Amino acid sequence: MTFYLSRVTLARNPATTALKALIDPMEGHDRDRLYDPERGRSMDAHHRLIWALFAGDPDRTRDFLWRAQGDGRFLILSPRPPASDGAGLFLPPEIKPFAPDLRVGDRLGFVLRANATRTRKAAPDARAKRVDVVMDALHALPSGCASDARRNARMAAAETAGRDWLARQGEGAGFQLGDFAAADYSVIPLPTHIGPRKGQPQFGVIEMAGCLTVADPAAFLGRIVHGFGRAKAFGCGLMLIRRA
């Protein structure tokens, strides 16, 4: 199956200008905090906008991955090209086939925005549940510690848990992880939730970057088009690669 990598940019017209407060995160809000509801609302708005580029069958499920690049710019990986006219919301998209020529041993740089999870049982006879790898590591952190200490602890957890998670992904996705860095970690509440914050559904997002070595090109490309981790509707899972 042919896949397409598209670069799209929001048109600067009255319709999108009126939606700017929903389209982009609030300027100047504290991105150093763990809990980030503004980003959740922005991710939800971005997803709805990008759906407009693939409108047609109302019963069709999402079959594309996307990543926000900032300032109204997005990258989209999809098995069908987006609407050539930008659906009235975007400038005409730049579209090219996604068919990298990869060989065993190729070394690639990557960036990945991921909701990394694993399955855990609280007790041997308990039902397994899926947990965010960083949130799971942060549970041991005292709730009353200073904000700087919490920031340092969560970034240390994101670095360690994120690296371990992506290395495990590579075992079945045809690559070996080399250099790795976690640039940021935040918790995104689901914007559709109504009610008190306590118990609100949420997910963690790690901003990852590094290098990897291709072990199985077919398996690796198959996994890239499928995406990594969960929360793909919210702009997670699309790994961007380049020659190292």
Side-chain angles (χ1 to χ4, degrees):
M1 176 183 292
T2 301
F3 277 78
Y4 302 90
L5 184 63
S6 306
R7 187 187 304 273
V8 300
T9 303
L10 278 170
R12 304 304 182 187
N13 57 34
T16 57
T17 300
L19 294 172
K20 181 172 177 54
L22 296 175
I23 292 170
D24 290 318
M26 293 173 59
E27 293 184 5
H29 86 280
D30 184 7
R31 285 290 291 114
D32 193 42
R33 64 186 175 183
L34 176 64
Y35 184 77
D36 199 346
E38 287 88 355
R39 192 177 178 195
R41 287 190 285 270
S42 177
M43 286 175 162
D44 185 51
H46 291 167
H47 183 221
R48 295 172 188 271
L49 283 169
I50 291 171
W51 254 120
L53 293 168
F54 298 95
D57 182 355
D59 297 323
R60 189 163 190 163
T61 58
R62 178 195 52 77
D63 58 356
F64 56 85
L65 301 170
W66 63 277
R67 177 186 172 93
Q69 297 289 86
D71 197 28
R73 295 174 292 113
F74 304 89
L75 291 174
I76 305 171
L77 183 61
S78 60
R80 51 196 171 116
S84 60
D85 62 356
L89 295 170
F90 296 88
L91 299 176
E94 303 170 42
I95 307 170
K96 63 180 182 180
F98 179 73
D101 181 16
L102 298 180
R103 309 293 172 88
V104 174
D106 281 354
R107 184 170 169 81
L108 306 174
F110 72 88
V111 293
L112 174 64
R113 180 173 296 144
N115 169 226
T117 64
R118 67 180 182 86
T119 301
R120 177 172 61 81
K121 284 188 176 183
D125 57 346
R127 182 177 180 180
K129 66 176 183 178
R130 193 169 291 276
V131 298
D132 178 272
V133 296
V134 181
M135 290 184 192
D136 201 37
L138 287 172
H139 282 163
L141 187 66
S143 60
C145 65
S147 59
D148 286 348
R150 292 191 65 82
R151 162 76 180 173
N152 292 338
R154 69 173 154 116
M155 289 312 302
E159 188 84 19
T160 301
R163 179 191 296 275
D164 291 346
W165 176 82
L166 192 56
R168 290 194 300 271
Q169 297 294 305
E171 293 172 3
F175 70 87
Q176 296 174 342
L177 183 62
D179 297 338
F180 176 89
D184 185 61
Y185 174 77
S186 57
V187 174
I188 311 298
L190 291 183
T192 54
H193 173 75
I194 299 175
R197 174 176 168 179
K198 183 177 181 180
Q200 181 178 23
Q202 57 192 23
F203 59 94
V205 177
I206 311 177
E207 301 284 351
M208 307 176 180
C211 292
L212 58 83
T213 301
V214 177
D216 182 335
F220 181 48
L221 289 176
R223 187 56 180 275
I224 285 181
V225 300
H226 176 73
F228 292 85
R230 299 168 69 85
K232 298 183 182 74
F234 289 90
C236 296
L238 174 56
M239 178 182 280
L240 303 178
I241 56 174
R242 58 177 174 75
R243 299 286 177 182

